[in-house]
Amino acid sequence: MEIISFRHHGAGGCVATIGFFDGVHRGHRFVIDRLRAVAGERGMPSLVVTFAEHPRQVLQPGFRPALLTTPQEKLDLLRRSGADDCAVLHFTPELSHLSAEGFMREVLRGQLGVSVLLMGYDHRFGHERDGCFDDYVAHGQRLGIEVLRLEQYAAPGAEHISSSEIRRALAAGEVERANAMLGYRYALEGTVVDGFKVGRTLGFPTANLRPGHADKLVPAAGVYAVRARAEGRTYPGMLNIGTRPTLAGDGRTSIEVHLIGFGGDLYAQTLRVEFVARLRDERRFDTTEALAAQLARDREEALRVAGC
């Protein structure tokens, strides 16, 4: 079983927590903050254990996750979380068949040197996934791992925060609500590729963005206010996700972004776009003049909400 990066914590042990942590949202950071606090009280390093692949990709062949964060984005966020260390496991068929006790014995204790395990209030792991918290405590007692239960995160405003809820918000185009749950702006990163080059004839040149990770969730079709960094400077912009109905597109979904005030060439460059707010639905206009007039209004609104 391969463990990507990091180390065994030896006789001194460590305090660990486990999860897929897609999005590393506010609820996840609550868990990691508690992990750090418990580790500090015990005088041990803190360890986040996560997975390179979504477990359902192994358990359900053909499943395609709608990821909030690419593997690299997730690792970057975890590194900035303040935990001392992070172990990234490959979720293999071998791993999926381990019982909870087997996982605790072979991976947590044997390979990572975990002495204290902090579990989310409703978290389950292991092949059977039907054990109760007392079962994990009993496994830990046999293995020399103290198992602690974390209280449920109470978000301000009593909104339930989960990766699934954030995906639902993005799928509905509710990027402001998604950002509030994430604690940062949702972003897409990709390569600027050849586009239709129609926007420049309307006075709104656009960069056609091809996302760099096939499983990264693309928000609902519509027009968004965004921010993006190009040539060392951050620009406000407006981004369209959709099929370009006014311009007789071919029916395929494209992601086109117009950076306000930018005059350079982004072709073949990597661009990261952060979503600030949704401006409107994509819709068909009777003439290109009507479309251009609406784009002018979109630009003013994008400047208002995403101006740097």
Side-chain angles (χ1 to χ4, degrees), residues 110-142:
Q111 297 191 42
L112 296 173
V114 173
S115 297
V116 182
L117 176 63
L118 185 65
M119 292 187 59
Y121 78 99
D122 62 350
H123 187 226
R124 300 287 185 273
F125 62 84
H127 177 66
E128 66 285 355
R129 292 180 63 85
D130 58 359
C132 67
F133 177 72
D134 289 342
D135 294 325
Y136 294 101
V137 172
H139 299 328
Q141 288 173 342
R142 289 190 290 272

Side-chain angles (χ1 to χ4, degrees), residues 102-207:
F103 180 81
M104 293 171 70
R105 179 181 60 252
E106 295 184 25
V107 180
L108 297 185
R109 192 63 179 167
Q111 297 191 42
L112 296 173
V114 173
S115 297
V116 182
L117 176 63
L118 185 65
M119 292 187 59
Y121 78 99
D122 62 350
H123 187 226
R124 300 287 185 273
F125 62 84
H127 177 66
E128 66 285 355
R129 292 180 63 85
D130 58 359
C132 67
F133 177 72
D134 289 342
D135 294 325
Y136 294 101
V137 172
H139 299 328
Q141 288 173 342
R142 289 190 290 272
L143 298 170
I145 299 176
E146 181 182 3
V147 180
L148 304 176
R149 190 173 198 170
L150 184 67
E151 65 271 24
Q152 183 175 1
Y153 174 55
E159 180 176 23
H160 174 64
I161 293 179
S162 69
S163 298
S164 295
E165 188 61 31
I166 296 168
R167 291 187 196 102
R168 281 191 285 270
L170 291 170
E174 299 170 355
V175 295
E176 292 170 284
R177 189 165 77 90
N179 291 347
M181 289 186 280
L182 286 167
Y184 59 87
R185 295 189 191 95
Y186 188 70
L188 286 178
E189 183 174 300
T191 303
V192 177
V193 298
D194 251 342
F196 302 97
K197 298 182 175 65
V198 176
R200 68 183 60 179
T201 68
L202 302 175
F204 299 90
T206 60

Side-chain angles (χ1 to χ4, degrees), residues 131-308:
C132 67
F133 177 72
D134 289 342
D135 294 325
Y136 294 101
V137 172
H139 299 328
Q141 288 173 342
R142 289 190 290 272
L143 298 170
I145 299 176
E146 181 182 3
V147 180
L148 304 176
R149 190 173 198 170
L150 184 67
E151 65 271 24
Q152 183 175 1
Y153 174 55
E159 180 176 23
H160 174 64
I161 293 179
S162 69
S163 298
S164 295
E165 188 61 31
I166 296 168
R167 291 187 196 102
R168 281 191 285 270
L170 291 170
E174 299 170 355
V175 295
E176 292 170 284
R177 189 165 77 90
N179 291 347
M181 289 186 280
L182 286 167
Y184 59 87
R185 295 189 191 95
Y186 188 70
L188 286 178
E189 183 174 300
T191 303
V192 177
V193 298
D194 251 342
F196 302 97
K197 298 182 175 65
V198 176
R200 68 183 60 179
T201 68
L202 302 175
F204 299 90
T206 60
N208 191 24
L209 189 69
R210 177 185 294 160
H213 197 288
D215 291 332
K216 177 88 179 210
L217 190 155
V218 175
V223 180
Y224 297 86
V226 298
R227 286 184 179 180
R229 192 162 183 83
E231 298 182 355
R233 178 183 163 191
T234 300
Y235 292 86
M238 51 191 192
L239 178 145
N240 184 80
I241 299 172
T243 58
R244 307 165 63 251
T246 305
L247 302 172
D250 57 10
R252 291 181 296 179
T253 297
S254 64
I255 304 171
E256 296 179 90
V257 58
H258 169 72
L259 299 186
I260 301 168
F262 178 76
D265 183 5
L266 292 171
Y267 179 71
Q269 294 189 38
T270 298
L271 187 67
R272 181 178 178 83
V273 178
E274 296 180 348
F275 289 79
V276 178
R278 192 171 194 267
L279 300 180
R280 61 176 175 86
D281 291 339
E282 183 186 46
R283 66 178 187 268
R284 184 183 183 281
F285 294 88
D286 292 334
T287 65
T288 55
E289 290 79 12
L291 172 59
Q294 179 61 58
L295 292 176
R297 292 191 289 271
D298 294 338
R299 179 168 55 191
E300 292 304 311
E301 182 65 6
L303 273 172
R304 186 184 70 80
V305 299
C308 304

